[in-house]
Amino acid sequence: YSQKWAEATFLYLTLQKTLPEALKELYLKQQKLTDNTFEEWLQNYFGGLYNLPPTPPVMVHHVPFHIRRFLEKAPKNKAALILVDGLSKVQATLLEAELKEGFTNSSYITQNLFAWLPTLTGISRKTIFSGKIPYFFKKELLETDSEAASWNLYWKNQGYSEKQIHYEKLSKEEDLQNFLASCNFQQV
């Protein structure tokens, strides 16, 4: 549902100035219903998500486990996790389309994930790179300088050597393009 709602929101925001008032009201009514339904769902079901199997991933801490299982099935493959934070679902949809266009010989798995609540971007990033729930790193909860160490430690604990593990934090679009152009990854 989130993908379809993101597309509807994108269209609404794009066409908002030209839409008839009745259609605007219909969208806003649906937005309120969606928000209320999601809030009710969170209250009833969110608490059990952390313990679900990691494939497919459901929560952010499942990501490294999912990648590991992918690699276990095809040990000669390589995997890249591309994490771009600060995007809305609408922006992520546009980015995904660009990546698919640029990497036509790669396979992709796109998955919507739940973050821990309440959350901050740094908490989600830390859980993604470490595979741990926030409780296990509460002392350094808001630090982001340990992402590379967390990523490397996770993969070393899975039996990978330092030569097989890489963490790269890029801040500009051209840095990402240059880095990806230098790699030959199977994308997950």
Side-chain angles (χ1 to χ4, degrees):
Y1 180 81
S2 65
Q3 180 64 37
K4 294 294 182 195
W5 184 245
E7 292 169 8
T9 300
F10 176 76
L11 288 172
Y12 173 78
L13 294 173
T14 303
L15 303 172
Q16 187 175 12
K17 292 179 182 176
T18 61
L19 289 175
E21 284 302 315
L23 202 49
K24 289 179 187 180
E25 289 175 19
L26 181 64
Y27 172 83
L28 295 173
K29 183 178 177 182
Q30 185 62 43
Q31 181 179 34
K32 185 172 182 155
L33 176 63
T34 299
D35 290 345
N36 291 339
T37 303
F38 184 56
E39 182 179 345
E40 184 179 323
W41 183 92
L42 284 173
Q43 291 173 0
N44 292 325
Y45 300 104
F46 183 79
L49 294 179
Y50 79 95
N51 209 24
L52 291 173
T55 300
V58 177
M59 293 194 73
V60 289
H61 71 280
H62 290 155
V63 169
F65 298 98
H66 177 70
I67 295 172
R68 186 190 77 213
R69 287 190 178 173
F70 168 80
L71 292 171
E72 286 171 349
K73 289 180 182 177
K76 292 185 180 186
N77 283 345
K78 295 180 181 181
L81 167 64
I82 301 173
L83 174 64
V84 182
D85 57 27
L87 297 181
S88 70
K89 184 66 179 155
V90 174
Q91 292 167 318
T93 301
L94 295 172
L95 176 61
E96 181 185 351
E98 289 290 322
L99 288 172
K100 283 182 178 178
E101 187 177 306
F103 293 94
T104 55
N105 63 343
S106 298
S107 63
Y108 292 84
I109 298 171
T110 302
Q111 184 73 31
N112 295 320
L113 302 173
F114 287 96
W116 283 89
L117 297 176
T119 196
L120 299 169
T121 299
I123 294 171
S124 289
R125 291 178 63 93
K126 191 173 293 287
T127 61
I128 288 170
F129 291 119
S130 69
K132 297 177 182 176
I133 63 174
Y135 175 82
F136 292 110
F137 50 79
K138 58 186 173 187
K139 289 181 182 174
E140 66 272 352
L141 199 56
L142 301 178
E143 297 173 10
T144 58
D145 57 346
S146 63
E147 289 177 356
S150 295
W151 184 250
N152 290 335
L153 179 62
Y154 175 85
W155 290 105
K156 285 179 188 174
N157 287 340
Q158 306 310 312
Y160 289 87
S161 70
E162 285 191 35
K163 288 183 177 182
Q164 295 174 296
I165 307 165
H166 185 78
Y167 171 92
E168 187 82 27
K169 187 171 185 175
L170 307 169
S171 58
K172 299 178 194 167
E173 182 180 339
E174 57 269 11
D175 291 341
L176 175 61
Q177 290 172 346
N178 292 336
F179 175 72
L180 291 175
S182 71
C183 300
N184 184 16
F185 288 125
Q186 179 79 14
Q187 301 200 4
V188 178

